Amino acid sequence: MLEMAPLLEVEGLTVDFETQNGTLTAVNDVSFSVSRNESVAIIGESGSGKSILVNAIFDLIDSPPGHIKRGDIRFEGESLFAMSEQKRRALYGRRMAIVFQDPLVHLNPVYSVGWQICEMCLIHGMSRREAASQAIELLERVGIPDPRRRMHDYPHQFSGGQRQRVMIAMAMALKPDLLIADEPTTALDVTVQ
């Protein structure tokens, strides 16, 4: 029987940032894998590089000043670095999704939250009707009261915990195979966590 490749493999990943004081290594020789139906937690103190690691997986390192010095990141055995940009973009959101730590930074303030959820669904092939229905269902699922009305509200009209739940809804929109959460409960109310 052939053994399936893990969903995600990070091998020897090192991420450096060039600063005025020289090179800062934010992630140093990190390796791990995540198989289907498996949960993996990466634990470290504040500033230890966890968010940089997540950003590297999603090709979100600000370059310059940051760059991946060495290592590889593979999804189902295929290197993300060897994939075309088009193939990676099709993968992100549909097969791999992320819940960012700070929703205020990652939600666009000029678009309603419903529009932002729908846009992701439309980009990946849903019809407008399916996308709107999916947005309402997801907002309800994460505990946003009156989701049909609230999907027309803007991020600033939600509490910090509600914005975090909107981010969780967006990440779940396309039922990804791999969900990466960067401290997803930081902004949530204690009763919701």
Side-chain angles (χ1 to χ4, degrees), residues 68-87:
I68 295 172
K69 183 177 179 181
R70 68 178 161 268
D72 198 10
I73 302 168
R74 294 183 293 276
F75 186 80
E76 294 183 328
E78 186 175 357
S79 174
L80 297 180
F81 302 144
M83 285 182 190
S84 68
E85 184 178 337
Q86 182 179 7
K87 188 170 182 178

Side-chain angles (χ1 to χ4, degrees), residues 67-141:
H67 65 278
I68 295 172
K69 183 177 179 181
R70 68 178 161 268
D72 198 10
I73 302 168
R74 294 183 293 276
F75 186 80
E76 294 183 328
E78 186 175 357
S79 174
L80 297 180
F81 302 144
M83 285 182 190
S84 68
E85 184 178 337
Q86 182 179 7
K87 188 170 182 178
R88 269 196 325 270
R89 288 184 69 168
L91 183 70
Y92 298 145
R94 176 165 295 287
R95 305 277 321 276
M96 297 171 62
I98 183 171
V99 178
F100 291 103
Q101 184 176 148
D102 186 356
L104 199 53
V105 171
H106 292 93
L107 290 171
N108 191 320
V110 299
Y111 294 106
S112 71
V113 298
W115 185 93
Q116 292 180 65
I117 296 170
C118 288
E119 179 69 5
M120 188 174 66
C121 295
L122 292 169
I123 287 170
H124 288 282
M126 277 190 195
S127 71
R128 287 199 183 281
R129 181 178 294 212
E130 289 172 318
S133 176
Q134 177 81 331
I136 292 167
E137 180 184 319
L138 286 164
L139 290 174
E140 181 175 34
R141 188 171 171 197

Side-chain angles (χ1 to χ4, degrees), residues 2-180:
L2 288 174
E3 192 173 315
M4 289 181 58
L7 272 177
L8 179 71
E9 293 173 276
V10 175
E11 185 179 310
L13 189 68
T14 298
V15 180
D16 286 348
F17 285 85
E18 299 305 324
T19 72
Q20 291 177 334
N21 298 323
T23 301
L24 169 74
T25 300
V27 174
N28 189 15
D29 195 27
V30 172
S31 297
F32 66 94
S33 66
V34 182
S35 296
R36 280 194 185 281
N37 303 314
E38 181 179 34
S39 296
V40 173
I42 297 177
I43 300 169
E45 63 189 29
S46 181
S48 63
K50 300 179 304 290
S51 294
I52 298 296
L53 172 62
V54 169
N55 286 334
I57 292 168
F58 284 88
D59 196 23
L60 297 174
I61 299 290
D62 290 330
S63 182
H67 65 278
I68 295 172
K69 183 177 179 181
R70 68 178 161 268
D72 198 10
I73 302 168
R74 294 183 293 276
F75 186 80
E76 294 183 328
E78 186 175 357
S79 174
L80 297 180
F81 302 144
M83 285 182 190
S84 68
E85 184 178 337
Q86 182 179 7
K87 188 170 182 178
R88 269 196 325 270
R89 288 184 69 168
L91 183 70
Y92 298 145
R94 176 165 295 287
R95 305 277 321 276
M96 297 171 62
I98 183 171
V99 178
F100 291 103
Q101 184 176 148
D102 186 356
L104 199 53
V105 171
H106 292 93
L107 290 171
N108 191 320
V110 299
Y111 294 106
S112 71
V113 298
W115 185 93
Q116 292 180 65
I117 296 170
C118 288
E119 179 69 5
M120 188 174 66
C121 295
L122 292 169
I123 287 170
H124 288 282
M126 277 190 195
S127 71
R128 287 199 183 281
R129 181 178 294 212
E130 289 172 318
S133 176
Q134 177 81 331
I136 292 167
E137 180 184 319
L138 286 164
L139 290 174
E140 181 175 34
R141 188 171 171 197
V142 297
I144 300 295
D146 195 8
R148 186 174 300 280
R149 180 183 63 80
R150 294 301 310 268
M151 75 178 279
H152 301 289
D153 289 347
Y154 293 84
H156 74 274
Q157 295 173 292
F158 291 83
S159 71
Q162 288 174 327
R163 283 192 294 265
Q164 189 66 45
R165 286 185 265 159
V166 168
M167 289 293 302
I168 291 168
M170 289 177 73
M172 295 184 334
L174 298 170
K175 299 178 178 103
D177 297 316
L178 178 69
L179 179 63
I180 296 177

